[in-house]
Structure formats: C-alpha cells, structure tokens
Amino acid sequence: MPRPATRRRALAAALACAAMLSACTGNSDDGTDGTGVSATPAVAPDLAATTASSAVTAAATSSLDGAASGKAAREKAFTGAALESANAYAKTLAGRTAAEKADAQLATTGVKVLAISRGGDSPQQILAQTTLKKTGAAVLVLLVQEGGTFKAAAVTPMLPDAKLDALDPTTDGSAAIAEAKGLVARPDDVVAAFAASVKYPKPTATKVLAADPLSEQLRQSAVAQSQALNNQGAFTQEHEPKGVIGGLRLKDGNGAIVFAHLVRSDAIAMRTPLKLTPAKDLTLLTGIKQITTEANLTSNEIVAIVIPASGQARIVAASDQLVAGSGR
C-alpha cells in the first residue's frame, strides 16, 4: 500500500502526462469523383506563394503573443479548431520555458506551396509546408479562404518518417475530395476507425489504417496514465470525430490528403479523495489549482491522413492541444 505522497505523485504525473498529450471540402467540377474537368488553380501560383508566406508568418507571430493584442491577431490568422487551439496555447505561455516556446515555433521563411484548389471549388484552399524553426521538421499548413482571407485551419507537424504523396502541379490546381469516389474509404469512416483504434480502455483494431507513431503513442500513453494511478482510480480516454476540415486530391486524383478534427476527452476518477496539484498549463488555462476526486481534460486533435485509391490509409501529420479542463 503506497503512502499518500506516492499516490499524489502518481496522479499528478498522470494529469501532467494527459495535459501534455494535449467542414467538408467543396464539390469538384463534375461533382462526382473529384477529378474535375478544369485544371486551373483557384489562386495564381505566385499569389498563392505570397499569401502562404504571409499567413504562416501571421500564425507563427500571433501564437507567441500572450498580450491582449494577440487574440485579435490570432482571429485574423486562424479559423475553427486551429483558432481555439492557438488561443488555448497562448493562455499557457506564462508557464512555458523559453526552450518549450522555441520547440513549437514555426519558421516564417522558406514556406512552400504544395497544392492549390481548383477554380470553381469551394472553399478555396492552399496546402503549404513550413518547418519547426528549431529542428527543421516539416509542418503541413492548410489554409482555407474565409471572408476573402486565407486563414490557417490546420497546423500539423509531420510524423517521423511520414511522406506525402505527389500532388498536382500548382499551375493546374488540385481537385476537391467531393464525394470521395475512387478512395479506398470515405474520410469520415477513416477518421472514425482512427478514433476507435486509440480509445481507452478497449481500443478497436482497424485494417483501414496502417500503423503509425501517433496511434501507438496515444495507446501507450493511455496505458501509462492508467497504471500511474496504482489502482487508486480509473482513467478513460475517448476521441470524438468532429468532421473533415478540408483536403485535396493527390496527383491525377489518385487518393487524397484529408485534414480532420477530433476532440479527445481524458477522464480521471479517484476512488479515495486526495489533494493534488494539476499541471501548470492546466491551471493557467482553467484556473484550477487543486483536484481532489476527479479531472476531465479536453484536447483538440487535428490529423492529416493520406487516403489512397487502394491499400491502407495512413496518418502523416498531427497536432494536439489541451483546450479545456475541469476538476474537483
């Protein structure tokens, strides 16, 4: 039987670990298989390059602005779940070290446009790639036009060893996903399979998705958090699909790159009340300074999935951000 201090450390570690883990595309020209009949980009390649560079710079700068002005800047730079995540991250800046901030900082030079949606498709999209400034690791940025402005709808670092298949030339534009004809599975079904495969307890194995580092990390982390409670409480984790954010067909319509949003819910329920101090970023985000019986954490997960014409889909990039929490 561990001493109370040991139990406190176990749950505190579990809370910290959980905290750290912390819109469909338009129709194509023919409205069926996404190949389209008009190979014309919605935005000229040179304009798309300038737009992407400016949008990535705005996202990178506003993400590290914890002042009141930062919120207004983020509303101009991000949209949807990406905006909610950016605002949540900004609230935790005061508790992050310089090294932690540097690890997450986006490079604002060398931004590349990988694909542009085709004219006639809605919404207009630009798929860009930048890097993490410190490590040079690739980051996919999906820009979606909103009110005449391109905003970041997804900022997803690529997974280790992940590769993105070829896309159509930016001079031709990339077709929309449309009705998902020609894909091995519908995007919503692939996202649902991912969610079921990483829930805890009792994940459901899937053959739709190939093995990837993100899924393995999520499963291992859930097991570790449950074990850290030393039978003093219960840990559960659910991943709820919230929909497809956007995406484009790969070269010649042979598959697609899809960005989807899920909400992860981590719940810890103690059998015996304890006085616990939550992770600092949770306190900064929610104001919760002490937990005695239970905690519920909510995180945004944005994943980029390559869905081929045949074979298994695979997750190539992902982001994760704690956005809310409660405890008592």
Side-chain angles (χ1 to χ4, degrees):
M1 185 73 178
R3 294 179 298 173
T6 304
R7 292 200 299 269
R8 287 197 294 270
R9 286 195 295 271
L11 183 52
L15 289 170
C17 186
M20 286 189 293
L21 273 177
S22 44
C24 292
T25 57
N27 294 328
S28 64
D29 294 326
D30 61 4
T32 54
D33 62 7
T35 57
V37 295
S38 175
T40 304
V43 181
D46 56 348
L47 178 58
T50 302
T51 299
S53 180
S54 297
V56 170
T57 298
T61 303
S62 62
S63 293
L64 295 175
D65 188 351
S69 58
K71 184 176 181 180
R74 286 187 293 276
E75 289 177 350
K76 294 179 179 179
F78 295 92
T79 186
L83 173 59
E84 182 183 32
S85 293
N87 281 333
Y89 178 79
K91 289 182 179 180
T92 69
L93 286 173
R96 296 185 181 275
T97 65
E100 289 173 333
K101 295 176 185 177
D103 287 342
Q105 188 172 2
L106 295 176
T108 56
T109 58
V111 178
K112 301 176 182 178
V113 173
L114 302 180
I116 308 170
S117 62
R118 290 183 178 174
D121 290 342
S122 180
Q124 294 183 6
Q125 302 175 75
I126 297 174
L127 177 58
Q129 179 180 302
T130 186
T131 60
L132 292 176
K133 190 173 183 179
K134 184 176 180 179
T135 65
V139 179
L140 297 180
V141 182
L142 180 68
L143 303 173
V144 175
Q145 191 179 55
E146 182 180 282
T149 302
F150 279 92
K151 298 182 179 181
V155 180
T156 52
M158 292 194 72
L159 303 184
D161 299 323
K163 295 180 180 180
L164 178 59
D165 301 47
L167 292 137
D168 286 312
T170 57
T171 50
D172 293 343
S174 296
I177 298 168
E179 300 302 319
K181 288 187 177 180
L183 302 182
V184 69
R186 294 180 57 82
D188 287 342
D189 294 337
V190 175
V191 176
F194 165 69
S197 73
V198 290
K199 69 179 180 181
Y200 184 86
K202 298 180 180 180
T204 303
T206 177
K207 294 182 179 180
V208 174
L209 279 160
D212 66 85
L214 172 65
S215 299
E216 186 61 25
Q217 178 190 10
L218 286 168
R219 285 189 285 265
Q220 289 181 357
S221 175
V223 171
Q225 291 176 77
S226 179
Q227 292 176 343
L229 296 177
N230 290 328
N231 295 319
Q232 300 302 310
F235 174 79
T236 60
Q237 185 176 93
E238 295 286 340
H239 303 254
E240 181 183 0
K242 290 296 184 179
V244 172
I245 297 170
L248 296 166
R249 291 270 173 165
L250 300 174
K251 188 175 182 180
D252 299 324
N254 189 26
I257 171 75
V258 175
F259 291 80
H261 173 216
L262 301 93
V263 169
R264 188 180 75 247
S265 300
D266 298 295
I268 296 174
M270 298 303 299
R271 296 186 179 91
T272 303
L274 299 170
K275 292 183 179 180
L276 306 165
T277 301
K280 192 171 185 179
D281 58 343
L282 179 62
T283 298
L284 289 169
L285 188 60
T286 65
I288 298 171
K289 297 180 179 180
Q290 189 176 84
I291 295 171
T292 57
T293 58
E294 65 181 43
N296 295 278
L297 310 180
T298 301
S299 300
N300 276 340
E301 297 173 321
I302 298 179
V303 295
I305 309 173
V306 168
I307 305 177
S310 62
Q312 292 179 299
R314 64 186 193 279
I315 297 175
V316 296
S319 64
D320 186 300
Q321 175 60 50
L322 178 71
V323 295
S326 63
R328 62 178 184 178

